[in-house]
Amino acid sequence: MRPLLAATLASALLATAGSAQAQVEVQWWHSMGGALGEWVNDLAKDFNASQKDYKVTPTFKGSYDESMTAAIAAYRAGNAPHILQVFEVGTATMMASKGAIKPVAEVMKEGDQKFDQDAYVPAVAGYYTAPNGQMLSFPFNSSTPVFHYNKDAFKAAGLDPDKPPTTWPEVALAAAKLKAGGHKCPFTTSWISWTQLETFSAWHNTLFATKNNGFGGLDTRLAFNTPLHLRHIENLANMAKQGLFIYKGRGNAADAVFVSGECAMMTGSSALYGNIKRNAKFAAGIGTLPYYPDVTGAPQNTVIGGASLWAMSGKKPAEYKAVAAFFSYLSQPEVAAKSHQRTGYLPVTKASFELTDKSGFYKENPGTDVSVTQMIRKTTDKSRGVRLGNFVQIRTIVDEEMEGVWSGKKTPKEAIDAAIKRGNEQLERFEKSARP
């Protein structure tokens, strides 16, 4: 029996080894930290447990800027990840890097996965779609700016906690009452360019840049020097002088001071919802972005933020099949709805939105549907979104120039004019490098 037993064990070990070798591994580089990092890890874990052929390994690679830089270096060295999470401002750069990416529509087709572009929320899918109608990347964690406010602080200041301000004049009045009540930070904002210029433009149905905000060609130029834009920055500057608007830094630095209760109102990402729900010690509310009521066509629709997943080129057919299976899994209504409800990111498919609506989630969590309703309004050529080359550098320029305004070192007009001039230099540089 011993020889037979040995033979049986050897056979079992070989079978196990063969099974392990047959499992295709997919490397996924992302920029989700904290609670969102846990969400990403759970998605990979649940997908891996749902089948035995593929294994997705998520790896945190730092901020969006850092992960994109790391991926470019890895691609040049021949060891890029299979999937790269890229924030929306990197979209034009990825589109221009045709040899480095494989369009998601091709990945899904070659992976024998059912793929219907019409199943995805149009305002989201459209941003990641090429002029020929082909979807280039997979919509993953799409967000949009909303108005977050502290209901407890509103009550203490004598404001109605169930009626957030809907216009900019109302924001200023609410901020004044909060300050009078002793609040040292009545209003703040994250992502200055995204919330106060890019989305502000679309919300008021006006252009941020020419050529339909970059969708119409590489020769686009910045256009946020209109009387409306100047008026808005002047108003924010006046609020800053009066201590009604407190600038808290670049990127999402303001998120933490809102969640801690230091600031009572802020414009920021809808994806802050998960952090607020988990860590805030106060009752929070979500309202629509403020607008100027005298502007014709306002409010229109907000623009996309967050990121999408790009399949990198140069991988084996079996690996792309694994990537396609993972994208298909993320598109399942139950999976996409759960992600939307957990994070505050937009539902990526129409089915996941309908499932969330039917479940009663929006009624039980007032305000969580604001991001969706802001995005599903009918878009125009002026409000489809903003897709520019060297966008990361342009946002940095905007931050630098606007900081001159908040500190009183520059007038709003001086800062806007300088941002336009410096930003256009970046666009010209990108245009030259991206042309065949």
Side-chain angles (χ1 to χ4, degrees), residues 359-376:
S359 74
F361 178 81
Y362 298 130
K363 289 183 179 178
E364 295 169 12
N365 301 274
T368 52
D369 61 336
V370 167
S371 60
V372 184
T373 56
Q374 284 185 165
M375 285 289 289
I376 61 176

Side-chain angles (χ1 to χ4, degrees), residues 64-111:
Y64 283 130
D65 288 354
E66 292 167 342
S67 64
M68 197 167 174
T69 301
I72 291 171
Y75 171 75
R76 288 171 178 165
N79 57 358
H82 299 84
I83 303 172
L84 175 66
Q85 181 189 31
V86 178
F87 56 166
E88 92 284 4
V89 296
T91 300
T93 299
M94 296 299 287
M95 288 178 67
S97 307
K98 295 178 181 178
I101 61 106
K102 189 174 180 70
V104 67
E106 289 182 19
V107 172
M108 299 301 278
K109 183 179 180 181
E110 293 176 16

Side-chain angles (χ1 to χ4, degrees), residues 15-32:
T16 302
S19 170
Q21 289 173 354
Q23 193 175 51
V24 179
E25 186 168 351
V26 170
Q27 293 295 328
W28 175 19
W29 288 7
H30 67 87
S31 298
M32 300 280 92

Side-chain angles (χ1 to χ4, degrees), residues 76-342:
R76 288 171 178 165
N79 57 358
H82 299 84
I83 303 172
L84 175 66
Q85 181 189 31
V86 178
F87 56 166
E88 92 284 4
V89 296
T91 300
T93 299
M94 296 299 287
M95 288 178 67
S97 307
K98 295 178 181 178
I101 61 106
K102 189 174 180 70
V104 67
E106 289 182 19
V107 172
M108 299 301 278
K109 183 179 180 181
E110 293 176 16
D112 296 323
Q113 292 290 338
K114 183 180 178 182
F115 183 63
D116 178 12
Q117 291 188 196
D118 292 335
Y120 298 86
V121 175
V124 176
Y127 189 85
Y128 299 113
T129 299
N132 65 4
Q134 183 184 49
M135 192 184 288
L136 299 176
S137 63
F138 179 81
F140 177 56
N141 59 310
S142 296
S143 60
T144 200
V146 295
F147 187 84
H148 296 285
Y149 70 103
N150 184 326
K151 289 189 172 185
D152 292 349
F154 267 47
K155 282 183 184 177
L159 295 163
D160 189 336
D162 296 318
K163 288 187 177 180
T166 58
T167 68
W168 281 107
E170 288 175 358
V171 171
L173 289 172
K177 283 194 174 183
L178 286 160
K179 184 186 178 186
H183 223 290
K184 293 181 179 179
C185 179
F187 170 73
T188 189
T189 185
S190 63
W191 302 106
I192 286 286
S193 181
W194 183 44
T195 62
Q196 305 308 319
L197 288 172
E198 297 160 34
T199 304
F200 174 85
S201 299
W203 199 226
H204 291 82
N205 199 33
T206 189
L207 288 174
F208 174 81
T210 62
K211 293 284 182 177
N212 293 335
N213 291 322
F215 281 80
L218 292 172
D219 53 341
T220 180
R221 296 295 181 264
L222 299 176
F224 56 85
N225 54 352
T226 70
L228 175 62
H229 291 99
L230 179 59
R231 167 189 174 188
H232 181 53
I233 300 303
E234 285 176 341
N235 286 341
L236 288 177
N238 288 330
M239 287 179 68
K241 288 178 184 176
Q242 298 170 48
L244 305 180
F245 162 49
I246 309 297
Y247 177 65
K248 288 294 183 178
R250 302 181 185 184
N252 66 346
D255 291 0
V257 293
F258 177 78
V259 175
S260 71
E262 180 184 340
C263 295
M265 303 183 292
M266 75 167 286
T267 46
S269 173
S270 59
L272 185 59
Y273 169 74
N275 189 355
I276 294 171
K277 187 175 181 180
R278 179 175 176 176
N279 299 310
K281 307 299 182 186
F282 55 85
I286 302 173
T288 56
L289 273 189
Y291 67 101
Y292 288 101
D294 60 326
V295 175
T296 303
Q300 177 56 39
N301 64 276
T302 53
V303 299
I304 199 170
S308 64
L309 303 181
W310 293 78
M312 302 300 284
S313 65
K315 305 301 179 182
K316 298 175 182 177
E319 293 169 331
Y320 283 125
K321 196 168 184 178
V323 171
F326 182 50
F327 287 167
S328 182
Y329 173 80
L330 295 178
S331 300
Q332 291 179 16
E334 297 79 9
V335 175
K338 186 178 178 181
S339 289
H340 162 54
Q341 294 166 29
R342 177 173 174 174

